[in-house]
Amino acid sequence: VNQKGKPQHGRPRSALAHNAILRAALHLVSARGFRAITVDHIAAEAGVGKMTLYRRWPNKSAVVMDAFLELVGPQTEFPAASQALRSLRQQLKLQASFFRSKYGRLIRSLLAEAQADEELARAFRDRWIYPRRSGVVRILQMAIDQGHLRHDIDLEIATDMLYGPLYYRLLLGTGAISDDFIDGLYKQFLAGHRPIKLRNPRAA
Amino acid sequence: VNQKGKPQHGRPRSALAHNAILRAALHLVSARGFRAITVDHIAAEAGVGKMTLYRRWPNKSAVVMDAFLELVGPQTEFPAASQALRSLRQQLKLQASFFRSKYGRLIRSLLAEAQADEELARAFRDRWIYPRRSGVVRILQMAIDQGHLRHDIDLEIATDMLYGPLYYRLLLGTGAISDDFIDGLYKQFLAGHRPIKLRNPRAA
Amino acid sequence: VNQKGKPQHGRPRSALAHNAILRAALHLVSARGFRAITVDHIAAEAGVGKMTLYRRWPNKSAVVMDAFLELVGPQTEFPAASQALRSLRQQLKLQASFFRSKYGRLIRSLLAEAQADEELARAFRDRWIYPRRSGVVRILQMAIDQGHLRHDIDLEIATDMLYGPLYYRLLLGTGAISDDFIDGLYKQFLAGHRPIKLRNPRAA
Amino acid sequence: VNQKGKPQHGRPRSALAHNAILRAALHLVSARGFRAITVDHIAAEAGVGKMTLYRRWPNKSAVVMDAFLELVGPQTEFPAASQALRSLRQQLKLQASFFRSKYGRLIRSLLAEAQADEELARAFRDRWIYPRRSGVVRILQMAIDQGHLRHDIDLEIATDMLYGPLYYRLLLGTGAISDDFIDGLYKQFLAGHRPIKLRNPRAA
DNA sequence: AACTAATCGAGACGGTACGTCCCGTCTTAGA
DNA sequence: TCTAAGACGGGACGTACCGTCTCGATTAGTT
């Protein structure tokens, strides 16, 4: 996030410091919480001078964001399944369990900071949200192609309707992000809310 | 928010101070942004000592939250319409335009703080979210009664599917909260995403 | 030194903090040396926040200077004697022994800082040098009145010739500031360096 | 000052670097002041890596001291005159005008640093003070031999009485180091301060 | 001419102190 | 008795230099 421009030479003595910092950040934030840790803590834990940290990131939030995106991001994978809709449902449950894990709290902290730091928000969108959204959109398209979804839906809005409620519950705390919740969400997503109109009312 | 117990004697010389503080908070935060202002700023603007402020609220976030809930909250009203669904749609658009206003930014700040302050989160839920949700639920029930929505839907999840995407876009910044967005959302909410099954496939 | 302008009200909660800081500064600097101590050390030793210190002095040097001038300054007294010249000589020896004490090192540190800080230099002159010089000048005048010094001497220059060599040896380290040194200095000060011209050479 | 042992092989590619550093140091310090410049500034101005600088000197002060002693020292010459006392007086005035020049400020900075760095103090004494003092002592002895000074004076103390006041005024800032000052100093140095005793009091 | 080894410039690095900012509590004078 | 004004202890911040270390390029001396 907002990593400062690389100088032409006299490059970083090692990329080890970089990773040490990210690992320290992730470890400390996971263990003690975002608000409780300071830049000095991270630097000390990483065995690094504060300037080394500030040479690469503008503040604590940016470090932790990078730590999350670089170390945690790649660990989450889109589940594969022969049927697109099944894959989608599994992904929803994966996301839900991820939100319930310690990383849920981390994401909440990062999004909190992002509200006042557009740089941070952009990083989160570009490196976390958009990659996952495009995976979802791809799956939805596949489901359409497989004839399991209507062909005239707006994929972006469909994605918002699936994942919006998850982030809503994560950030608002209005309800558990349970598997039951996912099931209900998925079901109503497919079925919609309009009452079933009888085709031949008089045939009844 | 977390207003401290009223002092036992010597009742507040005036309730004016209370409102002066809330108005100062709302004004300053709207004008300069949540992060930019401090408790001292609010106290000074309100012409009040810091102690007077801390006697009633535990910190800046709580003041601003109260300012928002007391001064802004009552201004938003649920639109009335003969048809429940029309009223719902109007409410969605109202909410969207509210999010686009300067109060969108304020809500973002408050929710950001709420991520690390459960007291604050509770206040926002209890005094902002839940009242509005129950309005929505009431309308949805009305729509069911009017035969415009399926009768077997989960109202909570339906509400999440309508409002989750709005908060999602507000907090993630992934897209405009435009009237077009609302229209699309509303439409797919009603229709669902399952393909229309042909009744008499062999008739085709 | 450079104490910042007193605010109109909300005055210092106590003058105790003030003295605690000065005592802490003097103690630490005497014990560990000027270069070894930091503003944080002084604040911590005084049990005071750094801001309280910076509210009253612009930096470490100013605190230590004030500590020296307020706590040590008043302890040195001009010795009284019926004969002015005897009093002067005692004062020279007193000054010499003061320079040999731990305060010699302190004065060296303060004068070192004063070379780059005119505010500090002024404080040292106004509150240490000039008061003592005027005592010396008074004594010299008294000695003149008593007929023990020539009446046409320049008192400022005479003072420089007596005390200049002491500061010179203190700051340059070219020789001990011993009582023998004082004796020699005093003797040559009185006698001058011109050879005694025989009045009636032929009378010899 | 404290120049480190020459490296065992791969002798300095050029002695040019050495002088470039000294010139850079002198130039920068003269232009911007001792405190304002850093080791990095000197190295950059000299077009040299910091290591090259630290290979030869332990810190900034040492570099500047060497720059002063090597580049400025040789420029000041003891004035020759047939009469020893005239030469002495000219030397005093030369020193005074030197102190009034930009080098006065430089000497102040160097002496300031020397208060906390005995290595530096020694260098200043050995390569600046003592050579000049021995010149002064030589001249004083010559003046004695020429019958212009008493033969029983302590030459070291006499030197202190002449030059002490100059350094005193330089470092304390108590008065201008003007030619008038030198004249008064010189006059009282010769004459002493004891009142002229009448030889034959009863003859009066 | 090609190779090797020492040295250099540039600047990244761990570390320490700085001076500022804001928090939430405490004190004082005055209404 | 309560308030405004703001001093206070505390603690994180981001910056500046220090003196050391690393890197690739340059150069000098050797084959």
Side-chain angles (χ1 to χ4, degrees):
Chain A
V1 175
N2 196 22
Q3 291 184 28
K4 302 178 179 176
K6 295 292 172 56
Q8 38 275 46
H9 63 107
R11 271 168 320 97
R13 205 188 304 176
S14 75
L16 290 180
H18 191 90
N19 268 289
I21 292 169
L22 293 185
R23 272 197 308 275
L26 192 61
H27 169 240
L28 287 172
V29 169
S30 298
R32 292 196 242 154
F34 185 86
R35 287 277 166 115
I37 65 145
T38 72
V39 174
D40 296 71
H41 293 156
I42 298 175
E45 169 96 356
V48 139
K50 249 199 298 188
M51 265 318 285
T52 300
L53 200 151
Y54 277 112
R55 206 172 290 124
R56 302 181 204 252
W57 296 277
N59 51 49
K60 176 179 74 164
S61 307
V63 183
V64 177
M65 180 64 87
D66 259 15
F68 174 71
L69 294 176
E70 289 198 15
L71 303 184
V72 178
Q75 292 175 16
T76 73
E77 258 181 60
F78 211 99
S82 56
Q83 266 211 319
L85 281 186
R86 178 169 306 173
S87 181
L88 174 67
R89 194 170 181 175
Q90 283 174 7
Q91 159 64 7
L92 279 168
K93 295 215 171 165
L94 219 65
Q95 185 87 298
S97 83
F98 186 76
F99 278 8
R100 290 194 304 266
S101 78
K102 64 178 175 178
Y103 294 122
R105 176 157 286 277
L106 181 47
I107 287 184
R108 290 177 62 191
S109 299
L110 289 173
L111 279 175
E113 296 303 306
Q115 299 311 314
D117 183 341
E118 181 48 31
E119 200 69 50
L120 219 56
R122 183 188 341 278
F124 190 76
R125 281 196 301 269
D126 290 348
R127 297 168 60 193
W128 178 264
I129 294 293
Y130 291 148
R132 278 153 191 81
R133 279 185 75 94
S134 65
V136 171
V137 165
R138 199 167 350 98
I139 283 290
L140 290 175
Q141 186 60 54
M142 206 178 301
I144 292 172
D145 296 344
Q146 294 175 349
H148 299 132
L149 284 185
R150 289 171 41 206
H151 67 280
D152 61 342
I153 63 178
D154 183 318
L155 294 178
E156 293 300 326
I157 289 178
T159 307
D160 285 355
M161 288 179 77
L162 285 169
Y163 287 86
L166 267 69
Y167 280 94
Y168 177 88
R169 291 200 168 194
L170 177 68
L171 295 165
L172 275 294
T174 50
I177 310 178
S178 60
D179 280 2
D180 281 357
F181 169 60
I182 297 298
D183 286 336
L185 186 66
Y186 178 77
K187 186 174 139 228
Q188 298 199 33
F189 171 79
L190 281 188
H193 299 78
R194 200 196 307 276
I196 283 83
K197 294 273 182 48
L198 297 177
R199 254 73 37 73
N200 300 316
R202 73 196 83 101
Chain B
V1 175
N2 195 24
Q3 291 186 28
K4 302 177 178 176
K6 295 295 169 54
Q8 41 275 49
H9 59 103
R11 146 199 66 81
R13 206 179 315 168
S14 73
L16 291 181
H18 190 90
N19 268 289
I21 292 169
L22 293 185
R23 273 199 307 276
L26 192 61
H27 169 242
L28 285 173
V29 169
S30 298
R32 291 196 245 153
F34 185 86
R35 286 277 165 114
I37 66 143
T38 71
V39 173
D40 298 68
H41 293 154
I42 296 174
E45 169 95 356
V48 138
K50 262 201 291 186
M51 265 316 286
T52 303
L53 197 151
Y54 276 111
R55 214 186 320 275
R56 303 185 210 248
W57 294 276
N59 51 50
K60 176 180 75 165
S61 306
V63 183
V64 177
M65 180 64 87
D66 260 14
F68 174 71
L69 294 175
E70 289 197 15
L71 303 184
V72 179
Q75 291 176 17
T76 71
E77 258 181 59
F78 210 99
S82 57
Q83 266 211 319
L85 281 187
R86 179 169 305 173
S87 182
L88 174 68
R89 193 170 182 175
Q90 282 175 11
Q91 157 64 4
L92 279 169
K93 295 215 172 166
L94 219 63
Q95 185 89 296
S97 83
F98 186 75
F99 278 7
R100 292 194 302 265
S101 78
K102 65 178 174 178
Y103 295 120
R105 175 157 288 276
L106 181 48
I107 287 184
R108 290 176 61 190
S109 299
L110 289 172
L111 280 175
E113 295 304 305
Q115 299 312 313
D117 182 341
E118 181 48 31
E119 200 69 51
L120 217 58
R122 185 191 338 280
F124 190 76
R125 282 195 301 269
D126 289 347
R127 297 169 60 194
W128 178 263
I129 293 291
Y130 290 149
R132 279 154 190 78
R133 278 185 77 94
S134 65
V136 171
V137 165
R138 198 170 350 100
I139 283 288
L140 290 175
Q141 185 61 55
M142 206 179 300
I144 291 172
D145 296 344
Q146 293 176 349
H148 298 134
L149 283 186
R150 288 169 43 205
H151 66 280
D152 62 342
I153 63 178
D154 182 318
L155 294 179
E156 293 300 325
I157 289 178
T159 307
D160 284 355
M161 289 179 76
L162 284 169
Y163 288 86
L166 266 71
Y167 279 92
Y168 177 88
R169 290 201 168 192
L170 178 68
L171 294 165
L172 276 293
T174 49
I177 310 178
S178 61
D179 280 3
D180 280 358
F181 169 59
I182 298 298
D183 286 338
L185 185 66
Y186 179 78
K187 185 174 140 227
Q188 299 200 34
F189 171 79
L190 281 188
H193 298 79
R194 201 196 307 278
I196 284 86
K197 294 276 180 46
L198 297 175
R199 256 73 37 73
N200 299 315
R202 73 193 87 100
Chain C
V1 176
N2 195 24
Q3 291 182 28
K4 303 180 180 176
K6 294 292 170 57
Q8 40 274 44
H9 64 106
R11 268 169 322 98
R13 203 188 304 176
S14 76
L16 290 181
H18 191 90
N19 269 288
I21 292 170
L22 294 185
R23 273 198 307 276
L26 192 61
H27 169 241
L28 286 172
V29 168
S30 298
R32 292 197 241 154
F34 185 87
R35 287 278 166 114
I37 66 145
T38 72
V39 174
D40 296 69
H41 293 155
I42 297 174
E45 169 96 357
V48 139
K50 247 198 301 187
M51 264 318 285
T52 301
L53 200 151
Y54 277 113
R55 217 187 317 274
R56 302 181 204 253
W57 296 276
N59 51 49
K60 176 178 76 164
S61 306
V63 183
V64 177
M65 179 65 86
D66 259 15
F68 174 71
L69 294 176
E70 289 197 15
L71 303 183
V72 178
Q75 292 175 17
T76 71
E77 258 182 60
F78 211 100
S82 58
Q83 267 210 319
L85 281 187
R86 178 169 305 174
S87 181
L88 174 68
R89 192 169 182 176
Q90 282 174 10
Q91 158 63 7
L92 279 168
K93 294 214 172 166
L94 219 64
Q95 185 87 297
S97 83
F98 186 76
F99 278 6
R100 292 193 302 266
S101 79
K102 66 177 175 179
Y103 293 121
R105 175 156 286 277
L106 181 47
I107 287 184
R108 289 176 62 190
S109 299
L110 289 173
L111 280 175
E113 295 303 306
Q115 300 311 314
D117 183 341
E118 180 49 31
E119 200 69 51
L120 219 58
R122 185 189 340 280
F124 189 77
R125 282 197 299 269
D126 290 347
R127 296 168 60 193
W128 178 264
I129 294 291
Y130 290 148
R132 279 153 190 78
R133 280 185 76 94
S134 66
V136 171
V137 164
R138 200 170 348 98
I139 282 289
L140 290 174
Q141 185 61 54
M142 205 179 300
I144 292 172
D145 296 343
Q146 293 176 347
H148 298 133
L149 283 185
R150 289 169 42 204
H151 67 279
D152 62 341
I153 63 178
D154 181 319
L155 294 178
E156 292 300 326
I157 289 177
T159 307
D160 284 355
M161 288 180 76
L162 284 169
Y163 287 86
L166 266 70
Y167 280 93
Y168 177 88
R169 290 200 167 194
L170 178 68
L171 294 165
L172 275 294
T174 50
I177 309 179
S178 60
D179 279 3
D180 281 356
F181 169 59
I182 297 299
D183 286 335
L185 185 67
Y186 178 77
K187 186 174 139 227
Q188 298 199 34
F189 170 78
L190 281 188
H193 299 79
R194 199 197 307 279
I196 284 86
K197 294 276 181 45
L198 296 177
R199 253 71 37 75
N200 297 318
R202 71 195 84 100
Chain D
V1 174
N2 195 24
Q3 291 184 26
K4 302 178 179 177
K6 293 297 170 53
Q8 41 275 48
H9 58 106
R11 145 197 69 80
R13 206 176 316 164
S14 74
L16 289 181
H18 190 90
N19 269 290
I21 292 169
L22 293 185
R23 273 198 307 276
L26 192 61
H27 169 241
L28 286 173
V29 168
S30 298
R32 291 197 245 153
F34 185 86
R35 288 276 167 115
I37 66 143
T38 72
V39 173
D40 298 68
H41 292 155
I42 297 174
E45 169 95 359
V48 138
K50 263 203 288 186
M51 265 316 285
T52 303
L53 197 151
Y54 275 111
R55 204 172 294 125
R56 303 185 210 249
W57 295 277
N59 51 48
K60 176 180 75 164
S61 305
V63 182
V64 178
M65 180 64 87
D66 261 14
F68 174 71
L69 294 176
E70 289 197 14
L71 303 183
V72 179
Q75 292 175 16
T76 71
E77 260 181 58
F78 211 99
S82 57
Q83 267 211 319
L85 281 187
R86 178 169 304 173
S87 180
L88 173 67
R89 192 169 182 176
Q90 281 174 10
Q91 157 63 7
L92 279 168
K93 295 214 172 166
L94 219 64
Q95 184 88 297
S97 83
F98 186 75
F99 278 7
R100 291 193 303 265
S101 79
K102 65 177 176 179
Y103 294 121
R105 176 156 286 277
L106 181 48
I107 287 184
R108 290 176 62 190
S109 299
L110 289 172
L111 280 174
E113 295 304 306
Q115 299 311 313
D117 183 341
E118 180 49 31
E119 199 70 51
L120 217 57
R122 185 189 341 279
F124 190 76
R125 283 196 301 268
D126 289 348
R127 295 169 59 193
W128 178 264
I129 294 292
Y130 291 148
R132 278 153 191 80
R133 279 185 77 94
S134 66
V136 171
V137 165
R138 199 170 349 101
I139 283 289
L140 289 175
Q141 186 60 55
M142 205 180 300
I144 292 172
D145 295 344
Q146 292 175 351
H148 298 133
L149 284 185
R150 288 169 45 205
H151 67 280
D152 62 342
I153 63 177
D154 181 318
L155 294 179
E156 292 301 326
I157 289 178
T159 307
D160 284 355
M161 289 179 76
L162 284 169
Y163 287 86
L166 265 69
Y167 279 93
Y168 177 87
R169 291 201 167 193
L170 178 68
L171 295 165
L172 274 293
T174 49
I177 309 179
S178 60
D179 281 3
D180 281 357
F181 169 60
I182 297 298
D183 287 337
L185 185 68
Y186 178 78
K187 185 173 139 227
Q188 298 199 35
F189 171 79
L190 282 187
H193 299 77
R194 200 197 307 278
I196 284 87
K197 294 275 181 47
L198 296 177
R199 256 71 38 74
N200 299 317
R202 74 195 82 100

